[in-house]
Amino acid sequence: MYRFPILFFLFLSAACLNFSCGPYRHMQKIESEESCVLKLKPDFSRVIYKTSVNVIGNHISGLLLIKYMQDSSTRIVFSNEMGFTFFDFGFETSNRFIVHQVIPQMNKKGLIKMLRKDFELLLFRNMDSTKAYSLAAGNLIYHAFPQSEGINYYITDLPCHQLIKMQIASDKKPRMEALIYNNAPDNPPDSILIRHLNFFHLTISLKKIIPLAPE
Amino acid sequence: MIKTITLSLLLFCGFYSRGQYPGYTLLDHPETAKKFISAATSATGSIQSDFSQEKTLTMLSEKINATGKFWFRKNDKLRMEYLRPYQYLMILNGGKIYIKDAQKENKLSAGSNRVFKQVNRILIDCVSGNMLENADFKPRLFESPGSFLVELKPIEKNLTSLYQNINIIIDKKDFTPTAIEMYEISGDKTIIRFQNKLLNVQIPDSVFFIP
């Protein structure tokens, strides 16, 4: 007797999860200058962040160095506090990605792919304006840049003066979001929080620690 | 022309024969020096010092520097506290490892992370004088007028994928380490230098306490 409402509820929940209840569905496509977000690109030219990574009860900390190289590529190196390098990734101008170094314990295809996507979002890479579009949601604009898999969103205020957050999403729902604090022009952001919204609940928090010594 | 080539070859051979570390000579029969170092370091019951750490990222032409305080007490108690520009604390005590960073504290038992344990054992070995007995490495001993250089080449599988070699510079005056140099496979290196050393001072248990 009570089985029908329960089954109906389960069906509705499954349908919501699988089809159309994502946050982007109710947003309206609007005319906007998608490229306005480019001027909000954080300046990571040379910076070190104290980094904490938490995933399924495990915690690892270290230092993350981001540096724009003279050949216009970007290098991201993560080491522990005692100087030992965990990984060294290179992001080339032609959207090429190079693993310069990774310790055997982190040399997992899925992990490297996930980190690559996270850093590409932060570094404002793969932003093809010919495929881009914008969505309105209250006082926010979602600047959407479709990727080979999923969509990268750069979320700004209405006048496109402030970058509120960034997201990596499937067609329906966000899978990761990155919040940037104190993103001033010509100065690396003070801190960044990356949160994965899948069941791993991986979080990466970055806090700027050092004005690096002059080159 | 021939004279120039001959001179260059002679100079090259001259430098090469001194060994790969400028100012140091490889000891062909290091047993005496080994015994000497072991005997001298066994007289050191504790070390308290400042340290500076310099990581060089070769391909990126970058250096990352840090400073802190260091304590060691025989046989297996060590505390390294990074103070600037970031805070990080590591205590090794009786096979247990305690880590505290800005966010969390972590306790690792001796068996929980083999590589981490191996790397931390190097630190203990370096200051306790047991570096030549560590079976994970093949040691070579070099000598200069003021110091010894112990080169440790990893032979254990986990360590060979991480390090080219680890060098320890030992001051001949007091037979304590003045620097530890860690050369990674990538060519990056980290050098920890010890300054303002105090030997055989009383260091209370509380310094090495793992909560």
Side-chain angles (χ1 to χ4, degrees), chain A residues 46 59 61 67 81 83 85, chain B residues 53 55 60 62 86 101:
Chain A
R46 198 165 162 255
H59 172 76
S61 70
K67 184 174 181 177
E81 288 84 347
T85 305
Chain B
Q53 179 178 294
K55 177 176 171 78
L60 278 75
E62 280 295 347
Y86 50 86
D101 61 56

Side-chain angles (χ1 to χ4, degrees), chain A residues 46 48 50 52 54 59 61 63 65 67 69 75 77 79 81-85 88 101 103-105 205 209-210 212 215, chain B residues 53 55 57 59-64 80 82 85-88 90 101 103-104 106 115 123 161-163 184 186 188 190:
Chain A
R46 198 165 162 255
I48 293 181
K50 183 88 170 72
S52 290
N54 291 294
H59 172 76
S61 70
L63 307 173
L65 169 71
K67 184 174 181 177
M69 306 298 286
R75 290 284 279 270
V77 181
S79 60
E81 288 84 347
M82 299 178 76
F84 182 74
T85 305
D88 177 355
Q101 190 194 343
I103 57 166
Q105 291 86 342
S205 70
I209 51 165
I210 317 177
L212 279 163
E215 280 182 294
Chain B
Q53 179 178 294
K55 177 176 171 78
L57 296 132
M59 294 304 289
L60 278 75
S61 311
E62 280 295 347
K63 285 185 195 299
I64 303 173
M80 270 186 100
Y82 290 74
Y86 50 86
Q87 279 83 51
Y88 181 75
M90 182 181 73
D101 61 56
Q103 265 201 357
K104 280 201 173 174
N106 242 330
V115 176
L123 278 173
S161 63
L162 305 177
Y163 291 108
E184 294 177 39
S186 62
D188 293 349
T190 301

Side-chain angles (χ1 to χ4, degrees), chain B residues 85-151:
Chain B
Y86 50 86
Q87 279 83 51
Y88 181 75
L89 171 65
M90 182 181 73
I91 301 173
L92 313 178
N93 190 343
K96 287 182 184 153
I97 302 167
Y98 172 78
I99 305 283
K100 188 180 176 196
D101 61 56
Q103 265 201 357
K104 280 201 173 174
E105 41 188 352
N106 242 330
K107 280 178 231 174
L108 305 170
S109 64
S112 61
N113 186 325
R114 182 143 188 234
V115 176
F116 200 70
K117 196 184 138 206
Q118 282 170 320
V119 173
N120 288 324
R121 187 186 159 189
I122 298 163
L123 278 173
I124 294 261
D125 285 348
C126 288
V127 286
S128 65
N130 294 328
M131 72 289 275
L132 298 165
E133 314 303 327
N134 191 328
D136 292 336
F137 297 92
K138 184 182 171 203
R140 286 202 300 171
L141 198 54
F142 297 80
E143 186 180 24
S144 79
S147 54
F148 289 109
L149 185 153
V150 181
E151 179 201 73

Side-chain angles (χ1 to χ4, degrees), chain A residues 15-126:
Chain A
C16 271
L17 280 172
N18 286 310
F19 297 108
S20 56
C21 293
Y24 308 112
R25 185 173 178 258
H26 303 292
M27 294 180 191
Q28 290 226 316
K29 245 184 186 179
I30 56 162
E31 289 293 320
S32 170
E33 185 57 61
E34 287 87 17
S35 60
C36 74
V37 289
L38 294 176
K39 67 176 189 282
L40 302 175
K41 178 181 174 180
D43 177 13
F44 291 117
S45 49
R46 198 165 162 255
V47 60
I48 293 181
Y49 288 100
K50 183 88 170 72
T51 303
S52 290
V53 181
N54 291 294
V55 59
I56 354 177
N58 292 307
H59 172 76
I60 184 170
S61 70
L63 307 173
L64 192 84
L65 169 71
I66 308 178
K67 184 174 181 177
Y68 295 161
M69 306 298 286
Q70 281 189 338
D71 63 0
S72 302
S73 66
T74 302
R75 290 284 279 270
I76 297 187
V77 181
F78 183 43
S79 60
N80 74 357
E81 288 84 347
M82 299 178 76
F84 182 74
T85 305
F86 293 128
F87 65 71
D88 177 355
F89 294 158
F91 297 84
E92 308 282 303
T93 43
S94 53
N95 281 344
R96 236 161 52 96
F97 169 74
I98 297 176
V99 178
H100 291 282
Q101 190 194 343
V102 63
I103 57 166
Q105 291 86 342
M106 294 183 86
N107 195 5
K108 317 279 181 221
K109 202 174 165 188
L111 176 66
I112 292 173
K113 185 178 172 188
M114 187 194 72
L115 291 171
R116 173 188 178 173
K117 281 173 172 286
D118 289 2
F119 292 134
E120 282 180 340
L121 181 79
L122 291 184
L123 297 172
F124 278 51
R125 287 172 63 85
N126 305 335

Side-chain angles (χ1 to χ4, degrees), chain A residues 126-142:
Chain A
N126 305 335
M127 296 178 76
D128 183 353
S129 57
T130 60
K131 294 181 194 162
Y133 58 91
S134 299
L135 301 169
N139 293 328
L140 302 174
I141 300 181
Y142 282 62

Side-chain angles (χ1 to χ4, degrees), chain B residues 39-53:
Chain B
T41 48
S42 65
T44 306
S46 72
I47 302 173
Q48 184 178 315
S49 84
D50 299 330
F51 74 87
S52 61
Q53 179 178 294

